[in-house]
Amino acid sequence: MKKILLISTLALFSISLSSCGDKKKDTPAATATSEVSAPKEGFEVTISGDDAMKFDKTEIRVPVGETIILTLKHIGKMDKAIMGHNFVVLKTGVDIPAFAEKAAVAKETDYIPESEKNSIIAHTKTIGGGESTTIEFKITEAGTYPFMCTFPAHYALMKGEIIAE
């Protein structure tokens, strides 16, 4: 008797859910939601920065030519005006201290110096505690590429290498 009651209840619940679903498919909101939730394809990497000016990774290995989906998370609590972090991937051969010096005074462009855009492969925006941001990019040639945070004085501690293989 209990099994029959349980099966009947599940059947009614299932029918009511399916009829609700049909109505939602006709609404623009349901269509927009399904488009937003499409999975991204590529090589996913997450890197975190904290209030102690440290990334949790100093080396990241990626496949050459594949889309890299990189998420930067600020796991600290400080505001971005005080302890902001970004993630900048540079081309090989860039003079890192010179680049960082220019970046530190480029507050109006989110610490990305306009004069050095040709030295950059990819970069995130600057974020504060509790925030995250995601970018997509490709590295088309095998090699070792420096990455860093360009917030003033952070590059000395917040740096590493992307190794594209």
Side-chain angles (χ1 to χ4, degrees):
M1 182 70 174
K2 287 183 182 180
K3 283 185 181 180
I4 294 172
L5 182 59
L6 178 62
I7 292 170
S8 299
T9 304
L10 288 174
L12 286 173
F13 183 71
S14 190
I15 291 168
S16 66
L17 280 179
S18 65
S19 66
C20 288
D22 290 338
K23 291 177 187 172
K24 286 185 178 180
K25 286 181 183 175
D26 296 334
T27 64
T31 303
T33 302
S34 62
E35 290 173 2
V36 171
S37 63
K40 295 180 181 182
E41 291 189 25
F43 185 82
E44 294 187 20
V45 177
T46 299
I47 187 166
S48 299
D50 60 21
D51 288 341
M53 292 190 331
K54 291 183 183 169
F55 282 132
D56 68 336
K57 294 174 179 66
T58 57
E59 182 179 283
I60 300 170
R61 293 186 179 271
V62 299
V64 173
E66 191 170 329
T67 299
I68 300 158
I69 303 165
L70 184 132
T71 299
L72 170 64
K73 293 183 178 184
H74 191 318
I75 60 172
K77 296 186 181 343
M78 294 180 160
D79 186 75
K80 79 176 187 175
I82 299 165
M83 187 59 67
H85 297 319
N86 64 8
F87 184 89
V88 180
V89 182
L90 299 174
K91 294 179 179 176
T92 58
V94 172
D95 182 344
I96 294 173
F99 180 91
E101 188 177 313
K102 291 175 185 177
V105 296
K107 184 177 181 179
E108 66 281 350
T109 55
D110 213 19
Y111 305 104
I112 304 298
E114 290 289 333
S115 65
E116 299 300 311
K117 288 218 175 209
N118 289 334
S119 299
I120 299 170
I121 294 173
H123 68 85
T124 67
K125 65 182 182 177
T126 302
I127 59 174
E131 296 179 323
S132 66
T133 185
T134 301
I135 57 170
E136 293 184 19
F137 62 99
K138 287 184 183 183
I139 295 179
T140 57
E141 293 182 26
T144 301
Y145 300 85
F147 69 78
M148 64 192 304
C149 174
T150 61
F151 193 84
H154 285 200
Y155 90 94
L157 298 173
M158 299 185 78
K159 60 187 175 183
E161 297 176 330
I162 291 182
I163 300 168
E165 308 174 301

